[in-house]
Amino acid sequence: MTYQAGNTVRLTAEFKDWEGVSIDPETVKLIIYDYRYTKLSEFEVPTANRINVGTYFYDHVFETGLFIYEWLATIDGKPSLVRKQISISNV
C-alpha cells in the first residue's frame, strides 16, 4: 500500500502465543529501516498504545521513500518479529 508523505500512518501489530491466542508481550518495539535495511528509528511502544490484548499501534509520519518497519516483541522470554514494507509518495 502507498501512503502520502507527511501524513500520519498508524502501524499495527497483533501478537499471539503458540496456540494462536492473543497475548501481551513483555516488551514491544517498532524499528524503521530504509529499503537497504539501514536502521532509521527505534521506538519503545508503551502499554498506552495497546488496543486490545496482543494488539498494539504506533503513529508515525514518514517522508517520501520505501521503508521496512519491524515489530519486535518479547513473548515468554523469546523474540517475535514481523517485518512489512511501506511505500510513501508525494502524490
Side-chain angles (χ1 to χ4, degrees), residues 36-87:
R36 294 183 187 131
Y37 282 94
T38 301
K39 187 190 294 187
L40 302 174
S41 305
E42 182 173 323
F43 308 98
E44 295 281 337
V45 180
T47 55
N49 288 40
R50 180 179 175 266
I51 297 170
N52 285 312
V53 174
T55 304
Y56 292 78
F57 74 92
Y58 196 88
D59 295 337
H60 189 70
V61 178
F62 289 90
E63 297 302 321
T64 303
L66 184 62
F67 301 92
I68 293 103
Y69 63 95
E70 173 183 283
W71 287 97
L72 176 60
T74 305
I75 300 172
D76 293 331
K78 298 176 182 155
S80 174
L81 71 89
V82 173
R83 288 186 182 142
K84 294 186 179 181
Q85 186 173 295
I86 188 168
S87 178

